[in-house]
Amino acid sequence: MSLLMSRARARLAPGTVAVCDLLVCGVLFLVGLGVIGTAPTTGAEESAAWESAGWLYVGWLLGGLVLFAALWRVPGALAHVAAMLVSPCVVVFLPLGVSALLR
């Protein structure tokens, strides 16, 4: 049983958590834009898309905190919170920076 627990803990490394959180935030950003799912055609649909993406973001943030608290994984919890707070900035500003460099 201890071998199984050590493998499970190795899979929840803080770097892995941060990369997964970055990917989730990228997908949620695309959901808010309407790239994933139905494309919003009106202002109300666009607001609804951003609202649903926001609720999913908050749910992922709180769900991750509950999970890491239940597993007593403090480094994973800290990586999760840091990645969830930094990744929206990365998802928004990284493409802007790359497009500015390509000009």
Side-chain angles (χ1 to χ4, degrees):
M1 184 68 171
S2 64
L3 179 64
L4 180 64
M5 291 300 288
S6 65
R7 286 185 181 174
R9 287 186 180 172
R11 283 189 226 137
L12 293 175
T16 305
V17 171
V19 168
C20 290
D21 287 336
L22 180 62
L23 292 174
V24 167
C25 286
V27 168
L28 291 177
F29 183 68
L30 293 175
V31 167
L33 288 176
V35 175
I36 296 176
T38 55
T41 56
T42 64
E45 289 176 352
E46 187 176 342
S47 295
W50 280 111
E51 184 178 353
S52 65
W55 279 109
L56 288 169
Y57 175 83
V58 170
W60 186 265
L61 175 65
L62 295 178
L65 285 177
V66 169
L67 174 70
F68 289 119
L71 294 175
W72 289 91
R73 299 293 299 157
V74 175
L78 293 175
H80 174 67
V81 170
M84 290 297 288
L85 295 178
V86 170
S87 61
C89 298
V90 170
V91 167
V92 171
F93 294 120
L94 185 66
L96 293 175
V98 169
S99 68
L101 289 174
L102 293 178
R103 289 185 190 180

